[in-house]
Amino acid sequence: MDKIAMDRSQEVLLQITKIVETECSQDASALLDEGFVLLAVNTNVFEDSENRFVYALGFPKPLDKLSDWAKSNF
């Protein structure tokens, strides 16, 4: 990654105001559409994981810019 891209990604991380985790890929997709940034994808550590994944996402905008759906669910 070049220096400009690295500086930009660090700048975005510094702006994150909210971090959420979800196991639901549909929710993760909806949150990405809201402007969240995907921080990590991990496999579920629980016995009943059924190969589910945990999506960790951060939102780099003011919280009042979130939709009602995102505010009420996350």
Side-chain angles (χ1 to χ4, degrees), residues 13-32:
L13 288 175
L14 290 173
Q15 294 173 3
I16 287 177
T17 56
K18 184 175 183 74
I19 296 174
V20 300
E21 289 187 354
T22 179
E23 290 179 359
C24 178
S25 59
Q26 291 86 358
D27 283 351
S29 293
L31 289 167
L32 289 170

Side-chain angles (χ1 to χ4, degrees), residues 7-72:
D7 288 346
R8 176 68 184 130
S9 62
Q10 288 176 341
E11 182 181 314
V12 169
L13 288 175
L14 290 173
Q15 294 173 3
I16 287 177
T17 56
K18 184 175 183 74
I19 296 174
V20 300
E21 289 187 354
T22 179
E23 290 179 359
C24 178
S25 59
Q26 291 86 358
D27 283 351
S29 293
L31 289 167
L32 289 170
D33 288 343
E34 287 266 339
F36 277 74
V37 176
L38 184 61
L39 299 176
V41 178
N42 296 303
T43 55
N44 196 328
V45 296
F46 299 106
E47 294 276 334
D48 67 343
S49 71
E50 300 174 1
N51 295 317
R52 287 182 291 187
F53 294 91
V54 176
Y55 300 86
L57 304 103
F59 192 69
K61 297 179 186 172
L63 296 180
D64 60 357
K65 300 222 182 218
L66 288 174
S67 70
D68 291 338
W69 170 81
K71 286 179 191 173
S72 62

